[in-house]
Amino acid sequence: MSGSSYAYASGRVSGLDESLLTDRIWNQLISAEDRDEVLRILGDSWYGSLLQTEDELEGALRSAVCLAEEELAELSNDKNFVQGILLRRDVRNARYLWKNLAAGGDGDVDLEPAGMVSLEDLKRVWGDSNIVGVLPIQFQKTLEEIQALHSPTAARLDSALDRLAAKVESENLGKLDEPVGSLPSVKIELRNFLTAARCRGDELSPAAVEEIMLDGGYHTPSDIAEAVRVNKLTSLLGEKSGFEEAASALDQGLESGSFLAFQRVSDQMTLDVLERASGNMFSPGPLAAYVLRRELEASHLKMIAAGKAAGIDPRRLSARVPRG
């Protein structure tokens, strides 16, 4: 896709960006009295039409992400770029389906529209190893890993599927020009250090810590596991330029036992990368940034809705969600 074609697509995306929630609306959502008020506020926003057709907020948010991906597919002539984005949807569907099947279910779960892998194939391969070749190679490896587990826990299933998600994102978004190309490594790095920090008090061996790390960050899983062992996790993260604020928040979390501030900084770093990406009109950056912004917006809306349902104080939500 040429630079001029991207410029046209980016111009279209700039109009879509206006449908993302403003700081004023985020402030209203965080200050809302309860979940019902959250729904009322969203009803007056771009999400209003989705909420009218969906029984549940989660379904509406899932539809919002799918719409963003479909808009990208319409705007981009770059086949590989579109496939890379849609494969991420297939990872989500694999998670919904395979976790249900691993728990003894019949696969009757709500799914998103198929991306590059048919929903029927994702379901059929569970019971027929002879047709596993219909899946992309990374999906095949993950399916084999899951089915080799004896009485798999939800945590072990999520760990395997998290690795698949990270691999697919790194192999696709990681090929794009900066700053979008750096986003998979940034997210993996932050996720690994949060996981390691939470493991610190569990008295896990370095090998056990290393096993649950994701590949693709700026520090290797073995380096992070060793930092846990010698109690130098914060200093290791702070060595990477641009991660100083995250290192400080991680240090606070290790002292207090709460990692809300670190998670907030992590999400803010993602938003900052996407903000920079949206500025290069002659690249796929604005298209990718729009989809990823919508995903993160949906994630934050789920947090706020769940927080309101649980009666969590607005100040605690503000400490976690970098909005408003």
Side-chain angles (χ1 to χ4, degrees), residues 122-158:
L122 280 175
K123 187 173 182 178
R124 286 193 306 133
V125 293
W126 185 265
D128 189 350
S129 60
N130 294 320
I131 62 170
V132 71
V134 300
L135 299 178
I137 187 64
Q138 292 300 333
F139 286 69
Q140 294 179 39
K141 292 178 179 178
T142 300
L143 179 62
E144 291 170 3
E145 178 185 351
I146 288 174
Q147 293 192 320
L149 296 173
H150 297 290
S151 301
T153 63
R156 295 194 71 180
L157 290 170
D158 278 327

Side-chain angles (χ1 to χ4, degrees), residues 242-258:
F243 285 75
E244 295 84 1
E245 185 178 357
S248 177
L250 186 65
D251 190 46
Q252 295 174 25
L254 289 168
E255 288 289 331
S256 67
S258 170

Side-chain angles (χ1 to χ4, degrees), residues 17-52:
D17 282 342
E18 294 180 3
S19 66
L20 296 169
L21 301 179
T22 64
D23 284 348
R24 179 181 64 82
I25 294 177
W26 282 111
N27 285 328
Q28 291 176 348
L29 291 168
I30 290 172
S31 301
E33 286 292 325
D34 51 31
R35 189 176 185 276
D36 287 342
E37 186 174 353
V38 166
L39 293 176
R40 286 195 295 272
I41 294 168
L42 288 177
D44 292 331
S45 73
W46 176 85
Y47 287 91
S49 60
L50 296 179
L51 287 168
Q52 290 172 12

Side-chain angles (χ1 to χ4, degrees), residues 27 69 103 145 173 213:
N27 285 328
E69 292 168 339
E145 178 185 351
L173 294 183
M213 298 289 105

Side-chain angles (χ1 to χ4, degrees), residues 166-313:
K167 188 70 173 178
V168 167
E169 191 162 276
S170 294
E171 287 183 347
N172 292 284
L173 294 183
K175 294 178 181 177
L176 300 180
D177 292 337
E178 298 297 326
V180 173
S182 68
L183 190 57
S185 293
V186 170
K187 291 170 65 178
I188 290 170
E189 180 85 343
L190 293 166
R191 188 266 193 192
N192 279 347
F193 274 84
L194 176 60
T195 300
R198 286 173 166 165
C199 288
R200 196 183 69 154
D202 294 338
E203 298 183 357
L204 296 179
S205 68
V209 174
E210 184 176 345
E211 185 179 353
I212 57 179
M213 298 289 105
L214 301 175
D215 291 321
Y218 295 111
H219 290 93
T220 66
S222 60
D223 286 343
I224 297 173
E226 176 62 13
V228 173
R229 188 184 71 82
V230 299
N231 198 27
K232 291 189 176 180
L233 200 58
T234 299
S235 59
L236 182 66
L237 179 59
E239 290 175 0
K240 177 63 181 174
S241 177
F243 285 75
E244 295 84 1
E245 185 178 357
S248 177
L250 186 65
D251 190 46
Q252 295 174 25
L254 289 168
E255 288 289 331
S256 67
S258 170
F259 295 99
L260 291 180
F262 179 80
Q263 292 172 286
R264 188 183 200 280
V265 170
S266 297
D267 283 357
Q268 186 60 60
M269 288 179 67
T270 298
L271 287 168
D272 290 344
V273 171
L274 298 178
E275 179 66 27
R276 295 197 302 274
S278 65
N280 186 352
M281 302 287 285
F282 300 97
S283 78
L287 282 71
Y290 169 65
V291 173
L292 298 173
R293 280 171 160 176
R294 184 67 78 190
E295 283 183 10
L296 194 54
E297 181 171 90
S299 175
H300 289 159
L301 286 172
K302 288 180 190 176
M303 289 180 198
I304 289 174
K308 295 301 176 181
I312 293 176
D313 189 282

